[in-house]
Amino acid sequence: MNTIKKLIFALLALPVLLTGCDKNFDEINTSPNSTTSVPTPYIMTYAQRELGFYLYDVWRSGRQSSIACQHLAQRNYTSEDRYLFRQEVTDGFFRNTYFINQSFQDIINLNTNEATKGDMAAYGDNSVQIATAKLMQIWSVQLLAETFGDVPYTEAWQATTKVMPKYDKQSELFPKLLADAKTAVDALKAASKGWTQGDIIYKGDLSKWIKFGNSLRLRLVVRMSKNKSDWKTAAQAIIAEGVMTSNADNAIIKFTGAGAPNEAPFYNGFIVSKRNDFTITKQFALLLRGLNDTDKNYVNPFGIEDPRFKVYIGEANYDTGRKMGVPYGMLDAATGAFVNANSAEVINYTRTPTPLIIQANFWSTFLDYPTVCFLKSEVNDFDKTNLEAGIRASLAMWGANVDEAYITAVLAKYDAATTEGKKEIVLTQKYIHLFMQGFEAWAEYRRTGYPKSIVKPGEVTYNGVTFVTANATGTDIVPRLKYDTNEYTLNKANVEAAATSIGGDAYTTKLWWAK
């Protein structure tokens, strides 16, 4: 992939300006063997990889989404755990996600422009390249909207005509994303030739892209369930069209090994940068171990240790009795004292052999089959069949022991549960599965209120210590991040309108789909 990046930069280099003039200068100084545009496969590879690395690194994932959903806690500097987010990190997240998505727009433009689309057709049907690039944009914009609120979409990536794009209202944006995903899927169904190269997610497999597109539509519909009265009917129609059916359909970026740009982002943060900043929370560890949390009087719905626990923390921790997570949301001094006092029991991700999540070939997940199973369960009134399918698929995806005793125990709890209890079991299993997909786990908690293991502001996190936030977020976990501060200079009128629309550019503002 280093070669790819070098080629991209070479192709984008400006022509050398020669001194002096000559007759037929333009013709003489135009190489007949040089391309006038970057071939789309190189753009697709670059953009897919950038999304898979940038949004899943120790900043966007580690210190934002995985912290917000309480999968992870920081061991040393707990500012973000207490919602004192570094605004410069948030600014970069907003801005750079749009920069990456400009590459997908370049693919769309090159396959639309009459002067270039003929050449681009060598790499797959023009319609396929357009549709797959659009699906990646839809995926990214949904993530941005679920982080900030109203965001640019319909006028985004139009630098020559819309220098200051408007922010689409969430109530209009989500239906628009849903409709555009449907258009993309229909284009893929009508196509004959997928990507011939450059697609590192599905290697040009049209059937898998169609399943991804439909699964993305399903997720969008379920996310709007509080605001869309016919959401179940719409979801069932999408399921009938064909969503993911196995882990072979998972949309992932699988990193290949040490060395940039091929290494996984958490490997880069832990091993290359030699940091040891994160451990799973005490609350998540207890949930995985099947234990109650007496600090907040939480009763574990399963009462049995999860086979994924050993995978999530690594055998080097598990086999030596290091099964203790870090209490979420304590001050730096209290957290440091806890880690030091329990050094023989606290999970340490730098112990070798290293756990899966910080290995160089770990993957970044955009959307997967186990998640689809849990979505289908919810559509079908939290049914047991899709719950079991989701658990089995999750265990297999994580490489955990498919423990029949565990599955039987969970299903027995489900059978004995009330209607609300069944809902809790499905959504809590979904949360467990979504480890290392922090943005999705954070969004689902804000939509559903599950799992109940999460500690809220004002509740006891450990041994009488109360979780006190550095910034007010109301009575629940942080509902959003603040807009990019640069927008107040570069796109002032539109970002101010968006801030008013959502109810204020503050950490306390709940988003449209979560209300």
Side-chain angles (χ1 to χ4, degrees), residues 150-170:
D150 297 1
V151 293
Y153 177 63
T154 55
E155 292 184 359
W157 313 298
Q158 300 177 30
T160 58
T161 57
K162 300 290 183 182
V163 179
M164 293 179 286
K166 73 172 184 179
Y167 282 56
D168 294 76
K169 293 181 183 295
Q170 297 163 84

Side-chain angles (χ1 to χ4, degrees), residues 71-258:
H71 278 153
L72 296 177
Q74 295 186 88
R75 300 163 58 92
N76 305 301
Y77 310 110
T78 64
S79 297
E80 288 88 355
D81 305 49
R82 294 177 291 107
Y83 306 150
L84 191 63
F85 296 104
R86 282 170 257 205
Q87 189 58 42
E88 66 272 17
V89 177
T90 305
D91 290 353
F93 165 36
F94 183 91
R95 180 175 61 253
N96 290 334
T97 303
Y98 277 103
F99 285 164
I100 294 168
N101 274 279
Q102 179 61 54
S103 294
F104 294 119
Q105 189 62 43
D106 291 341
I107 292 171
I108 293 171
N109 294 342
L110 286 166
N111 281 279
T112 305
N113 191 312
E114 291 296 332
T116 56
K117 71 178 189 179
D119 291 336
M120 297 306 115
Y123 309 116
D125 287 356
N126 297 124
S127 61
V128 167
Q129 296 183 56
I130 292 169
T132 53
K134 177 54 69 175
L135 287 174
M136 296 308 300
Q137 286 184 337
I138 292 167
W139 181 91
S140 303
V141 171
Q142 181 187 358
L143 185 150
L144 288 168
E146 291 170 355
T147 302
F148 299 101
D150 297 1
V151 293
Y153 177 63
T154 55
E155 292 184 359
W157 313 298
Q158 300 177 30
T160 58
T161 57
K162 300 290 183 182
V163 179
M164 293 179 286
K166 73 172 184 179
Y167 282 56
D168 294 76
K169 293 181 183 295
Q170 297 163 84
S171 58
E172 299 170 0
L173 173 62
F174 277 77
K176 175 63 173 170
L177 294 176
L178 185 62
D180 285 355
K182 168 66 172 170
T183 299
V185 168
D186 288 344
L188 292 170
K189 288 179 178 179
S192 58
K193 185 173 71 172
W195 285 90
T196 60
Q197 55 182 301
D199 170 20
I200 58 175
I201 296 178
Y202 287 132
K203 306 295 188 294
D205 189 321
L206 286 175
S207 65
K208 293 186 186 301
W209 272 109
I210 291 168
K211 290 179 182 180
F212 169 73
N214 282 334
S215 299
L216 183 57
R217 292 169 60 206
L218 175 62
R219 191 174 74 174
L220 281 162
V221 167
V222 174
R223 199 78 96 233
M224 290 189 286
S225 59
K226 291 184 178 181
N227 307 91
K228 185 176 173 60
S229 60
D230 64 341
W231 73 274
K232 283 190 179 182
T233 300
Q236 288 164 348
I238 294 168
I239 292 169
E241 280 191 48
V243 293
M244 293 178 179
T245 55
S246 75
N247 283 326
D249 298 327
N250 294 345
I252 63 173
I253 300 295
K254 182 68 179 290
F255 292 89
T256 57

